[in-house]
């Protein structure tokens, strides 16, 4: 090739480049138009679900989608019988778990047992992915949004697109590749993606499984069968359990959150609080569209509406079999002026979130669906208004923001306390030192292990004969701002695996240090002979309870527990339990939550003091409610770190093979309904190790909490310091007993506060529901008679 030819080829290449660029722009424009059309189709399909006689098949034919895709967009159109989707049998069958075995240990003494290796994780079959725009139209952000029209099913598997590592106004999300299409199955399967969110003490949304009836009858406590927990695999398959996720780090945000224009609405009285004004509004039939019309006519530009009283989503609930169905129907009430928000960009969120009492509705004008959306939320996400009027709720929200602003220059109140808590925490990530680059996220395998083995708060009703049939009294103690006491130390970095042999080879001092460090242990437990008090360690069981606390002398079980609990079982002042360490994970001690906790405790203390000394009764109540909101920010912010795996539910015709690893929920003459876990999203703020460590410490403190003056221990409180046979109930951060205790109360986080006293004799509650009724009576009696008797 000569120079002339070379020059001519270069010129031709430039022309080709221009043509390719033009073609790329044309393709991008066409793709944008296609995304817009498919998103519009998704909205229209979701809207059709509001018609009572709507069916998936004709909608699929008209829209050019498959029936499965229609069901993903509008789960209310799922042809599976409602009875099957909503039924939860008392003794539901469980799918066979992967084979596991533990090599037994022979004799007494230090732990010498070694857990056998597990098989690798089973292959996960994902549902086919929707088109990107359609996925955005139907999928919300975990854990805050739900599919339009969703009632029995929850979040689609697709995530709304956002910038990696950037937290949107209501939820932190990362962009993730769409799931791969599912391989062919031997049996036809209809899958409806659901969100698995647990959080009794985490984010308010509960796992989306068939809901309980609206008026469920009290159910006595029943014993469930044992449940096998995973162990640490040996060999190459165990390496991932000592690793972090590649390229996934919790980093300090580089943007400032934008506040949303917020108003407060008493839907019962029709009173709207807008800034410093209160206006009466006509809400009509209280549908979402009428609420939005009334609010925006008075306060144009409103982006968030908090309902402080009235709960319009419960209107007509008696027509539905579950509250969740009633709420879903209300959220999706057809409107000519409003449509479900589909989300676009960093700060625009998609879809509704269906929850029995704290739902979230997100709406956009039907004429401009891509414009700014408006949320309808419950004030109950932050605190129980307890009869407070709309002005007091507004003032509480303002006091909350002011208290947080004193400790965070860039504090912004987001949609829920969970989102606010996690955002505030992200702004305490250090800018210097070892973790200045952020905190690494553990591998998916390790997060899965912690999810399966790290229980939350202890909830247990002790039944006769362990306690009297007739209680001499029912006395309730509640730990003040309990979790705040357990944030000073947390696990960081990659854990180090401790085998049974390695633990046995340690000196007693080294073993104690390991247990008192940030650690998580797989142990075989034996209750000592002669034990006559409450159980100390959780044992896994099937069913709703998930965990029980064996206390029968000689009982043996295998479980996982945090180092604080294991150390307490070994060193309690009544009788040491026999513990065999099978394996463990030992983390480096760090302080990732310490600064966050200190600032929240300071804000809480400021508001608590204000609620006691303010001269105006309304402001005292507002300050108290704001202090409760700080508690919610910490409680649910911590739970947000847990990040639960997604749940996928589906149906398979009777006689056909079920997918691997499913849990059967029920069946009828035609189909079996099941659910299975579908893995974790790539969440840069997923730190279940922090939540598990704090929960473990809080469970241990329910049994034995030390009062300190400096480094000196000056007293004890907790169940183990009450007489045997007097503990009636454990409830996350409180206990109920049959007699008063001399535990000092200093008003500090973790202290035991006398909360209720019901004079006896009292018939022992046969269920948690009965206990909660008695608890309410006890609180009322104490408020009437005073703490001193």
């Amino acid at each position: 090739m000569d120079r002339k030819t070379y020059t001519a080829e270069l010129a031709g290449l430039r022309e080709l480049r221009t043509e390719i660029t033009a073609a790329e722009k044309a393709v991008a424009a066409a793709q944008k138009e296609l995304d817009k059309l498919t998103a519009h189709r998704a909205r229209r399909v979701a809207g059709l679900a509001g018609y009572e006689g709507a069916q998936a098949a004709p909608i699929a034919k008209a829209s050019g989608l498959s029936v499965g895709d229609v069901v993903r967009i509008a789960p209310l159109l799922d042809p599976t019988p409602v009875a099957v989707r909503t039924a939860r049998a008392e003794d539901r069958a469980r799918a066979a778990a992967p084979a596991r075995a533990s090599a037994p240990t022979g004799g007494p003494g230090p732990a010498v047992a070694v857990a056998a290796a597990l098989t690798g994780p089973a292959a996960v079959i994902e549902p086919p992915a929707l088109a990107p725009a359609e996925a955005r139209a139907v999928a919300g952000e975990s854990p805050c949004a739900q599919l339009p029209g969703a009632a029995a099913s929850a979040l689609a598997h697709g995530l709304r697109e956002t910038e990696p590592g950037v937290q949107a106004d209501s939820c932190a999300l990362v962009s993730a590749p769409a799931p791969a299409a599912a391989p062919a199955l031997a049996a036809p399967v209809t899958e409806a993606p659901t969100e698995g969110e647990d959080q009794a003490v985490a984010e308010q949304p509960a796992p989306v499984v068939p809901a309980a009836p609206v008026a469920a009858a009290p159910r006595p406590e029943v014993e469930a069968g044992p449940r096998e927990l995973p162990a640490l695999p040996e060999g190459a398959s165990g390496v991932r359990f000592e690793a972090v996720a590649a390229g996934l780090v919790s980093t300090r945000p580089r943007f400032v959150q934008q506040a949303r224009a917020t108003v407060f609405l008493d839907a019962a009285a029709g009173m709207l609080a807008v800034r410093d004004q209160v206006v009466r509004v006509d809400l009509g039939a209280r549908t979402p569209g009428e609420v939005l019309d009334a609010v925006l006519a008075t306060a144009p530009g409103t982006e968030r509406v908090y309902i402080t009283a009235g709960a319009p989503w419960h209107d007509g609930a008696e027509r539905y079999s579950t509250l969740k169905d009633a709420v879903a129907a209300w959220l999706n009430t057809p409107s000519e002026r409003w449509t479900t928000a589909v989300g676009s960009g960093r700060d625009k969120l998609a879809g509704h979130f269906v929850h029995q009492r704290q739902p979230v509705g997100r709406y956009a004008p039907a004429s401009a669906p891509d414009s700014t959306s408006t949320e309808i939320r419950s004030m109950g996400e932050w605190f129980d208004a307890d009869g407070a009027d709309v002005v007091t709720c507004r003032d509480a929200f303002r006091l909350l923001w002011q208290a947080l602003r004193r400790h965070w220059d860039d504090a912004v109140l987001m949609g829920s306390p969970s989102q606010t808590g996690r955002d505030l925490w992200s702004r305490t990530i250090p800018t210097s030192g070892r973790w200045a680059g952020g905190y690494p996220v553990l591998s998916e395998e390790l997060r899965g292990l912690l999810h399966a083995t790290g229980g939350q708060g202890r909830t247990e009703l002790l039944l006769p004969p362990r306690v009297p049939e007739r209680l001499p009294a029912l006395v309730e103690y509640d730990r003040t701002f309990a979790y705040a006491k357990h944030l000073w130390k947390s696990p960081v970095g990659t854990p180090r695996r401790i085998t049974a042999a390695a633990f046995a080879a340690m000196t007693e001092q080294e073993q104690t240090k390991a247990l008192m460090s940030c650690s998580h242990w797989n142990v075989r437990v034996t209750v000592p002979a002669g034990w006559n008090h409450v159980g100390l360690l959780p044992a896994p069981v099937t069913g709703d309870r998930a965990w029980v606390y064996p206390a029968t002398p000689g009982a043996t079980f295998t479980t996982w527990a945090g180092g604080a609990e294991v150390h307490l079982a070994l060193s309690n002042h009544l009788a040491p339990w026999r513990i065999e360490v099978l394996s463990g994970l030992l983390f480096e001690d760090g302080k990732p939550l310490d600064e966050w906790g200190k600032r929240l405790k300071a804000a809480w203390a400021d508001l608590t003091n204000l609620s006691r000394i303010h001269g105006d009764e309304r402001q005292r109540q507002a300050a108290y409610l704001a202090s409760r909101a700080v508690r919610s920010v910490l409680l649910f912010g911590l739970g947000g770190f847990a990040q639960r795996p997604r749940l996928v539910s589906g149906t398979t015709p009777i006689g056909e093979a079920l997918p691997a690893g499913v849990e059967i929920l029920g069946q009828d003459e035609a189909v079996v309904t099941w659910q299975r876990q579908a893995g974790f999203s790539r969440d840069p703020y997923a730190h279940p190790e922090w939540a598990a460590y704090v929960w473990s410490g809080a469970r241990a403190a329910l049994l034995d909490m030390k009062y300190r003056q400096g480094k000196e221990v000056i007293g004890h409180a907790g169940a183990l310091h009450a007489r045997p046979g007097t503990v009636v109930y454990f409830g996350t951060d409180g206990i109920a007993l049959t007699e008063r205790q001399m535990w000092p109360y200093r008003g500090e986080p973790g202290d035991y506060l006398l909360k209720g006293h019901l004079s006896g004799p009292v018939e022992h509650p046969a269920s948690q529901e009965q206990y909660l009724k008695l608890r309410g009576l006890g609180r009322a009696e104490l408020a009437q008679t005073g703490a001193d008797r």
Side-chain angles (χ1 to χ4, degrees):
M1 178 182 294
D2 57 22
R3 182 174 181 81
K4 183 176 181 180
T5 304
Y6 173 75
T7 304
E9 285 295 321
L10 282 179
L13 194 58
R14 294 189 189 98
E15 293 176 0
L16 184 60
R17 180 194 65 188
T18 303
E19 293 175 1
I20 290 175
T21 300
E24 287 176 341
K25 289 181 178 179
V27 170
Q31 185 63 51
K32 183 177 180 180
E33 180 65 19
L34 177 61
D35 286 352
K36 182 178 179 180
L37 292 172
T38 53
H40 184 56
R41 176 176 64 179
R43 287 194 298 271
R44 297 187 69 170
V45 169
L48 289 173
Y51 173 57
E52 186 175 356
Q55 295 182 350
I59 293 176
K61 185 176 181 180
S63 62
L65 296 171
S66 69
V67 172
D69 286 344
V70 169
V71 170
R72 287 180 182 81
I73 297 171
L76 283 177
L77 299 176
D78 190 343
T80 306
V82 174
V84 177
R85 287 189 280 119
T86 59
R88 291 187 72 180
E90 288 294 328
D91 297 317
R92 58 193 184 187
R94 300 184 67 86
R100 306 179 183 92
S102 293
T105 58
V112 292
V114 179
L118 289 179
T119 58
V124 176
I125 301 173
E126 292 287 355
L130 298 177
E134 208 146 2
R136 291 196 296 271
V138 301
E141 67 291 0
S142 173
C144 302
Q146 194 142 351
L147 298 178
S153 296
L155 200 61
H157 58 274
L159 287 177
R160 179 177 60 85
E161 291 181 355
T162 185
E163 298 178 22
V166 173
Q167 182 164 335
D169 180 61
S170 282
C171 277
L173 295 180
V174 292
S175 57
L185 294 175
V189 176
T190 302
E191 292 194 4
T194 61
E195 175 188 72
E197 212 297 301
D198 103 21
Q199 298 173 53
V201 280
E203 174 74 353
Q204 290 92 328
V208 182
V209 292
V214 174
R219 185 174 61 191
E221 298 290 322
V222 295
E223 290 299 323
R227 171 170 56 95
E228 189 176 7
L229 294 178
L232 289 172
E234 300 287 352
S237 60
V239 173
R240 291 290 298 160
F241 289 80
E242 303 175 64
V244 295
L248 202 56
V249 180
S250 303
T251 57
R252 195 182 184 102
R254 299 178 181 177
F255 64 94
V256 177
Q257 287 288 3
Q258 299 300 308
R260 298 249 179 142
T262 302
V263 299
F264 303 85
L265 175 65
D266 181 338
M271 302 302 294
L272 179 70
V274 184
R275 297 185 179 87
D276 293 326
Q277 299 180 351
V278 180
V279 182
R280 184 176 295 278
V281 292
D282 181 5
L283 301 179
R286 308 204 313 171
T287 64
E290 289 170 297
V291 169
L292 293 170
D293 287 341
V295 168
L296 291 172
T298 305
T302 295
E303 296 175 88
R304 186 172 291 142
V305 181
Y306 281 111
I307 306 294
T308 65
W313 41 80
H314 289 164
D315 290 351
E318 67 279 356
R319 302 196 304 268
Y320 300 88
S321 60
T322 69
L323 269 181
K324 185 166 287 186
D325 286 345
V327 171
W330 184 85
L331 289 171
N332 291 284
T333 304
S335 170
E336 293 182 357
R337 291 172 48 81
W338 297 94
T339 186
T340 302
V342 297
S344 177
R346 183 169 67 191
D347 293 328
K348 293 185 180 180
L349 304 178
H352 306 317
F353 172 61
V354 181
H355 185 270
Q356 292 92 324
R357 290 174 178 81
Q358 278 91 46
V360 180
R362 295 187 177 92
Y363 302 92
S367 59
D370 294 330
S371 63
T372 301
S373 62
T374 304
E375 294 180 338
I376 299 178
R377 309 186 74 115
S378 169
M379 196 80 255
E381 294 183 73
W382 294 87
F383 51 74
D384 181 358
D386 195 24
D389 60 31
V390 69
V391 174
T392 303
C393 292
R394 178 201 62 194
D395 291 350
F397 218 63
R398 180 180 296 163
L399 287 173
L400 170 65
W401 176 78
Q402 291 171 346
L404 294 175
R405 196 76 171 187
R406 285 193 287 271
H407 303 283
W408 279 275
D409 292 338
D410 51 358
V412 170
L413 296 181
M414 298 166 66
S416 77
S418 174
Q419 300 141 16
T420 302
R422 203 157 67 162
D423 179 68
L424 292 177
W425 171 79
S426 71
R427 297 172 192 279
T428 66
I429 295 175
T431 56
S432 62
R434 180 177 177 187
W435 303 108
Y439 294 98
V441 174
L442 300 179
S443 68
E444 183 171 333
E445 291 82 355
L446 188 46
R447 280 181 280 154
L449 177 74
L450 289 166
H451 164 67
T453 61
Q456 298 188 19
R458 178 171 182 170
T459 302
E460 181 186 20
L461 178 65
L462 284 81
L463 299 174
R466 296 174 64 185
V467 289
E469 291 278 2
R470 290 175 64 82
L471 309 177
L474 188 64
V475 185
E476 179 196 0
Y477 286 90
D478 182 73
R479 294 187 66 218
T480 298
F481 205 21
Y483 288 170
K485 187 177 177 66
H486 304 283
L487 301 177
W488 65 278
K489 182 175 74 171
S490 302
V492 291
T494 306
R496 176 165 60 96
R497 179 174 181 168
I498 305 296
T499 64
F503 188 83
M506 293 180 182
T507 64
E508 183 178 348
Q509 184 178 9
E510 290 172 335
Q511 290 179 346
T512 300
K513 181 180 179 181
L515 292 174
M516 295 302 290
S517 298
C518 297
S519 53
H520 195 56
W521 301 93
N522 187 200
V523 293
R524 183 174 293 115
V525 184
T526 302
V527 182
W531 184 261
N532 65 347
H533 219 301
V534 298
L536 303 186
L537 291 171
V541 294
T542 58
D544 294 338
R545 294 179 65 187
W547 303 93
V548 294
Y549 293 81
T552 304
T556 299
F557 58 95
T558 300
T559 190
W560 282 82
E565 295 173 280
V566 176
H567 183 264
L568 176 64
L570 286 168
S571 62
N572 73 87
H573 65 286
L574 298 178
W577 286 31
R578 182 170 182 266
I579 306 292
E580 300 178 49
V581 172
L582 306 178
S583 61
L585 293 167
L586 183 59
F587 290 84
E588 178 183 342
D589 292 350
K591 293 183 175 293
L593 304 179
D594 186 47
E595 181 63 25
W596 180 65
K598 286 178 178 177
R599 297 188 194 184
L600 289 178
K601 283 188 285 187
W604 172 82
D606 292 344
L607 292 166
T608 300
N609 291 333
L610 186 64
S611 71
R612 294 169 180 162
I613 65 175
H614 202 289
D616 182 80
E617 174 61 30
R618 182 192 296 277
Q619 290 303 304
R620 285 200 300 272
Q621 185 182 16
Y624 171 74
L625 294 177
S627 72
R628 299 298 292 172
V630 175
R631 175 185 178 274
S632 296
V633 168
L634 188 149
L635 182 72
F636 298 121
L638 177 68
F641 289 124
Q643 194 227 31
R644 304 297 168 183
R646 297 165 295 162
L647 288 178
V648 173
S649 66
T651 58
T652 300
I654 293 290
E656 301 285 356
L658 294 173
V662 303
E663 175 187 358
I664 298 174
L665 300 178
Q667 70 178 62
D668 63 3
E669 302 81 12
V671 297
V672 175
T673 303
W674 46 262
Q675 70 179 16
R676 63 174 173 81
Q677 290 188 2
F680 295 85
S681 62
R682 282 183 59 83
D683 183 352
Y685 296 100
H687 289 284
E689 69 277 18
W690 297 348
Y693 183 75
V694 172
W695 291 335
S696 174
R699 291 194 300 268
L702 279 183
L703 300 169
D704 179 22
M705 191 198 79
K706 296 177 176 63
Y707 290 93
R708 296 181 183 272
Q709 188 170 331
K711 294 185 178 181
E712 181 184 359
V713 177
I714 60 174
H716 294 265
L720 291 184
H721 299 278
R723 289 192 306 111
T726 62
V727 180
V728 178
Y729 184 79
F730 290 94
T732 304
D733 54 4
I735 58 177
L737 309 102
T738 62
E739 57 189 25
R740 297 278 284 269
Q741 305 295 321
M742 299 301 293
W743 299 335
Y745 182 72
R746 306 164 298 178
E748 297 180 6
D751 283 3
Y752 279 86
L753 171 67
L754 177 64
K755 201 72 173 288
H757 186 132
L758 182 61
S759 300
V762 181
E763 290 293 331
H764 188 287
S767 67
Q768 184 180 30
E769 292 162 329
Q770 291 181 14
Y771 164 76
L772 294 177
K773 291 179 181 178
L774 294 178
R775 186 186 72 175
L777 296 174
R779 291 182 177 182
E781 181 179 321
L782 182 65
Q784 184 176 4
T785 60
D788 298 324
R789 293 173 180 268

